Amino acid sequence: MTGIITTYSINMKTIIEPFRIKSVEPIYFNTREERISILQNAFYNPFLIRANQVLIDLLTDSGTSAMSSNQWAGIMLGDESYAGSTSFFHFEATIQEITGLPLVIPTHQGRASEKILFSILGGKGKYFVSNTLFDTTRANIEYSGAEGVDLICEEGKHPSIPAPFKGNMDTIALQQFIAEKGAASIPLCVMTITNNSGGGQPVSMQNIREVKAICKANGIPLFIDACRFAENAYFIKLREEGYSNTPIPEIVKEIFSYADGCTMSAKKDAFANIGGFLAMHDPALAQLCRNMLILTEGFPTYGGLAGRDLEAIAIGLREVMDEHYLQYRIRSIEYLTNKLIEAGVPVMQPAGGHAIYLDAKEFLPHIPVNQYPGQALVGALYLHGGIRGVEIGSLMFGKYDAQHQLIPAALELVRLAIPRRVYTQSHIDYVAEVIIEVFHEKQSIKGLAIVEEAPMLRHFTAKLKPVE
């Protein structure tokens, strides 16, 4: 198994951070006894734990990056004009150049883009197909009355079996679904790169090309969920034949050449602490989106963002395509993944782009899925080492049948998302040590039961208790 992983490895010695640290913030240490009380008071939900009670925060890589000195300098140049901000035109021109998409609409974050798009295109009787939809994307689709359908490739269903592009869409399943439901009921196909819910796994250029051909033949627009577009592009360079000598900006441009539009949370691959955008070719759809933007986010040249944020995003979108950074980023995730594989910890293989994904079902086989093994593992990691992660399994994606019995998610994962340019190798070594120690003590971990939940996106606010 390790030999297969090496096929996708970066052949280097020690990977050094391609930056120097200019400013630091403290980590607040606490004891296991203190964390027991903290977890109980948070009802075993990491979202309800205060940030200063966490030692290593891997809850998300969204909005948690360290911005560069150039981004901070750009913040000082931000034009805060309500309309016609020069910072917007810098933002717009950058996105147009990188993606080739001419119509750019800023929003305060990715889910705002999703809310606008799916409110316009969604509705009862409609289906949005994807390789895998993430939580807010699916929620905004369902809130419109439509249904989100995941068509992940077969390789993506098996966490422990390595394959180069486990984020791909199953093109046969896509064709069958279109034939069954009819193209008229499918307003959009969404390709998530990298595939967050599927383990941060990349999508190949060939798969994007094939999906586009199917969509075009059936008159279905293809949108890219572009949160981690640069990481996906680097995987294409590493793993896909014909791209090893292609510069990242060219790979990125080809990816977007197959898209009719995209949504993006700039809190991921743009290193920004807030922000997002919609971009597209269709002027009629763009006008509808701008009209809703004015109602919900703000004027089209700021879209809920300060001018300083527009500047930071424009700079970050260029910085993220630096190959030295991407090499470090992908290799650091691989470094942690391989340490866990060597210790026998069940983890998604090969390493993804922004996080490691523990296979909670294999990690805690004594806990049934209706007792949320992923959430139980999240709690154990916090108790043992003050590490905060997030469950991506049946708490996040589970549904209920007519008898209120749980319909479990396809996978029971725990995501430990690594913020960009924040933690050093010693932090990552500590994370590995904690996970391995918890793995050796796994039989002591108990399942959980929900005592309170919201009707949508319940994982953000749910309250749980241990099963006795």
Side-chain angles (χ1 to χ4, degrees):
M1 208 61 87
T2 304
I4 298 175
I5 287 289
T6 307
T7 305
Y8 311 125
S9 297
I10 303 162
N11 296 318
M12 285 193 69
K13 296 181 181 179
T14 301
I15 298 295
I16 65 170
E17 288 82 0
F19 50 82
R20 294 179 298 198
I21 297 168
K22 184 176 286 191
S23 179
V24 297
E25 60 179 313
I27 286 175
Y28 297 95
F29 291 87
N30 50 27
T31 65
R32 181 184 177 94
E33 288 68 30
E34 289 170 328
R35 293 194 293 270
I36 290 172
S37 176
I38 291 166
L39 192 61
Q40 289 172 342
N41 291 335
F43 296 95
Y44 298 87
N45 187 338
F47 286 98
L48 305 182
I49 299 173
R50 295 185 180 186
N52 63 3
Q53 297 170 331
V54 176
L55 274 70
I56 305 292
D57 201 345
L58 308 181
L59 182 74
T60 181
D61 62 322
S62 178
T64 58
S65 300
M67 290 198 296
S68 69
S69 55
N70 283 338
Q71 285 180 293
W72 283 110
I75 280 177
M76 297 306 295
L77 297 172
D79 177 3
E80 304 304 338
S81 301
Y82 185 92
S85 163
T86 56
S87 295
F88 167 74
F89 293 110
H90 180 203
F91 171 90
E92 178 187 52
T94 300
I95 294 166
Q96 288 170 337
E97 181 183 337
I98 289 171
T99 68
L101 296 167
L103 306 171
V104 178
I105 302 168
T107 59
H108 82 272
Q109 62 177 346
R111 73 189 62 179
S113 299
E114 295 165 352
K115 173 65 175 176
I116 290 169
L117 184 65
F118 297 123
S119 294
I120 292 167
L121 297 180
K124 290 184 179 180
K126 295 182 180 179
Y127 303 90
F128 292 88
V129 291
S130 178
N131 51 343
T132 313
L133 299 162
F134 199 56
D135 57 352
T136 59
T137 321
R138 181 177 300 280
N140 276 301
I141 288 169
E142 293 177 351
Y143 189 76
S144 79
E147 184 178 336
V149 180
D150 295 337
L151 301 173
I152 186 70
C153 66
E154 183 62 31
E155 299 94 319
K157 300 174 184 177
H158 307 283
S160 64
I161 302 175
F165 291 102
K166 293 171 72 170
N168 282 353
M169 185 181 289
D170 185 334
T171 52
I172 295 174
L174 175 61
Q175 290 172 311
Q176 291 173 341
F177 189 84
I178 294 170
E180 177 187 345
K181 301 295 184 181
S185 67
I186 305 171
L188 205 67
C189 176
V190 180
M191 184 68 85
T192 309
I193 61 171
T194 56
N195 190 330
N196 192 359
S197 298
Q201 297 294 311
V203 177
S204 70
M205 192 74 80
Q206 180 181 349
N207 189 245
I208 296 171
R209 198 180 295 122
E210 290 173 355
V211 169
K212 173 61 177 179
I214 294 168
C215 288
K216 186 175 181 180
N218 290 277
I220 299 170
L222 172 64
F223 267 53
I224 302 287
D225 180 341
C227 292
R228 300 172 182 88
F229 74 94
E231 291 174 3
N232 200 98
Y234 194 68
F235 278 119
I236 288 172
K237 184 180 181 73
L238 284 179
R239 299 179 181 176
E240 192 160 0
E241 186 177 352
Y243 289 94
S244 60
N245 295 317
T246 307
I248 292 297
E250 291 185 22
I251 295 174
V252 168
K253 196 155 283 187
E254 183 179 349
I255 288 172
F256 284 107
S257 73
Y258 302 116
D260 296 287
C262 76
T263 63
M264 184 176 180
S265 167
K267 297 166 69 177
K268 282 81 170 178
D269 262 2
F271 301 112
N273 300 134
I274 198 69
F277 61 85
L278 271 162
M280 62 193 72
H281 287 289
D282 185 347
L285 177 59
Q287 187 58 50
L288 292 172
C289 290
R290 287 196 181 103
N291 291 342
M292 185 166 287
L293 180 87
I294 293 171
L295 285 173
T296 59
E297 296 284 295
F299 193 72
T301 58
Y302 79 91
L305 290 171
R308 62 182 72 97
D309 298 315
L310 294 168
E311 287 287 350
I313 292 166
I315 294 166
L317 286 169
R318 295 190 187 281
E319 288 183 350
V320 78
M321 292 190 290
D322 176 75
E323 291 193 22
H324 293 293
Y325 161 75
L326 287 168
Q327 183 183 62
Y328 146 78
R329 173 68 170 169
I330 301 306
R331 181 65 185 92
S332 62
I333 306 299
E334 183 184 59
Y335 170 81
L336 177 53
T337 300
N338 287 348
K339 284 179 80 77
L340 298 178
I341 292 170
E342 290 167 7
V345 176
V347 62
M348 177 70 75
Q349 300 182 42
H354 69 286
I356 65 158
Y357 291 73
L358 304 175
D359 185 347
K361 191 181 290 187
E362 293 297 318
F363 199 113
L364 302 174
H366 62 287
I367 298 180
V369 292
N370 64 354
Q371 294 181 13
Y372 307 104
Q375 193 75 0
L377 181 52
V378 166
L381 294 174
Y382 177 74
L383 280 179
H384 195 86
I387 297 168
R388 177 160 65 169
V390 68
E391 186 258 21
I392 299 186
S394 292
L395 182 66
M396 183 179 286
F397 290 119
K399 304 287 185 183
Y400 293 119
D401 63 17
Q403 287 73 45
H404 203 70
Q405 298 300 305
L406 179 70
I407 303 171
L411 298 172
E412 303 291 338
L413 304 175
V414 168
R415 186 189 71 180
L416 300 172
I418 313 298
R420 294 162 183 80
R421 305 189 294 205
V422 171
Y423 292 117
T424 66
Q425 184 172 322
S426 61
H427 293 116
I428 299 304
D429 285 335
Y430 172 79
V431 171
E433 290 171 6
V434 170
I435 295 170
I436 292 166
E437 288 170 3
V438 169
F439 183 60
H440 291 156
E441 300 173 9
K442 60 184 179 180
Q443 289 300 326
S444 65
I445 301 173
K446 296 180 179 179
L448 297 168
I450 296 174
V451 295
E452 184 179 312
E453 62 183 307
M456 298 187 76
L457 294 172
R458 64 182 182 180
H459 56 289
F460 285 125
T461 57
K463 296 179 179 179
L464 302 99
K465 66 177 182 179
V467 174
E468 298 298 334

